[in-house]
Amino acid sequence: MGSEGPAITVHVTGFKKFHGVSENPTETIVSNLRDYTKKNGLPKGMILGSCSILDTAGQGAVKPLYQILQSSVGTKDSGASNSGGVIWVHFGVNSGATRFAIENQAVNEATFRCPDEMGWKPQKVPIVPGDGGISRIRKTTLPVEEITKVLAKMGYEVTTSDDAGRFVCNYVYYHSLHFAEQNGIKSVFVHVPLFSTIDKETQMQFVASLLDVLASLY
């Protein structure tokens, strides 16, 4: 992709701590990403937009989630130089994982195994009530299989996944995919392991490589 073309803007989110995970690696990754890309560079034709840390909560955190999602559309419609497209990349931790997972889809079901950080514990509740029942699936429009293959060839332990769970990660991803379809943008969710499984530096390198792959698709 030539740098003279319209730039794509990538916005990222991570999560704060939650039940059973006192130190969320995604909070560290997203908080450090801007400085990391300043030192190491971004792919040509890519702008790093917002880097937001979300409360690990469902219903109680929907309003701030939509505020940051909406801010990206405002940027897209402003006619600025970054009108080449918008991608949301959401990061969440899977404390039992041994590799990265690129999530292909989200399900319209909130069934939380434990209360979220605001005390909400829904069971078989539709995430977006007007979007069908709890079996409704939304898929990302990004080529997850292709992205995963390229990252695997780079040497990363990474897989595709069709199950983002039924907790807050899936909750945020479903809202984001629903919003993305309505607004002509793209969204993808990535689960990462704990730093004790894959160290911080490797995870930062993985995120930088993921941005490279996303830029190559445009």
Side-chain angles (χ1 to χ4, degrees):
M1 177 181 131
S3 59
E4 71 279 357
I8 59 167
T9 303
V10 173
H11 301 272
V12 298
T13 69
F15 288 106
K16 297 178 184 176
K17 68 176 180 64
F18 65 99
H19 180 79
V21 179
S22 58
E23 204 173 324
N24 195 324
T26 68
E27 181 171 11
T28 303
I29 290 166
V30 173
S31 297
N32 291 337
L33 186 58
R34 196 172 302 281
D35 283 344
Y36 188 89
T37 56
K38 279 179 183 174
K39 286 179 187 173
N40 298 282
L42 275 166
K44 284 184 178 179
M46 178 176 281
I47 295 167
L48 182 61
S50 59
C51 296
S52 306
I53 308 298
L54 305 172
D55 284 311
T56 308
Q59 199 173 51
V62 166
K63 187 176 178 182
L65 172 65
Y66 270 86
Q67 285 173 341
I68 62 167
L69 290 172
Q70 195 65 48
S71 70
S72 70
V73 178
T75 302
K76 183 168 86 70
D77 291 342
S78 66
S81 61
N82 58 346
S83 58
V86 171
I87 303 173
W88 278 94
V89 183
H90 305 284
F91 292 99
V93 65
N94 178 352
S95 58
T98 58
R99 59 182 63 190
F100 302 101
I102 315 291
E103 299 291 348
N104 191 44
Q105 63 189 33
V107 183
N108 193 25
E109 178 190 344
T111 296
F112 290 4
R113 65 185 184 276
C114 61
D116 67 17
E117 290 301 289
M118 295 185 181
W120 191 47
K121 190 182 177 184
Q123 299 297 306
K124 297 191 182 301
V125 173
I127 294 168
V128 180
D131 199 40
I134 59 172
S135 61
R136 171 72 191 269
I137 290 171
R138 283 189 171 273
K139 294 180 179 284
T140 180
T141 56
L142 287 165
V144 167
E145 294 281 351
E146 183 183 339
I147 292 167
T148 303
K149 282 178 184 174
V150 174
L151 289 167
K153 283 181 181 176
M154 292 178 178
Y156 294 107
E157 291 288 327
V158 58
T159 186
T160 58
S161 168
D162 286 330
D163 186 3
R166 299 293 183 274
F167 194 48
V168 175
C169 291
N170 177 74
Y171 191 91
V172 165
Y173 195 19
Y174 195 89
H175 273 292
S176 183
L177 289 170
H178 182 252
F179 184 90
E181 183 186 272
Q182 290 178 322
N183 291 276
I185 61 177
K186 297 182 184 297
S187 171
V188 68
F189 197 103
V190 180
H191 268 119
V192 306
L194 295 170
F195 284 150
S196 56
T197 304
I198 297 181
D199 65 85
K200 174 185 167 183
E201 181 58 31
T202 303
Q203 294 215 31
M204 294 302 299
Q205 290 170 0
F206 171 83
V207 174
S209 297
L210 173 62
L211 297 182
D212 283 336
V213 176
L214 290 174
S216 73
L217 297 172
Y218 282 79

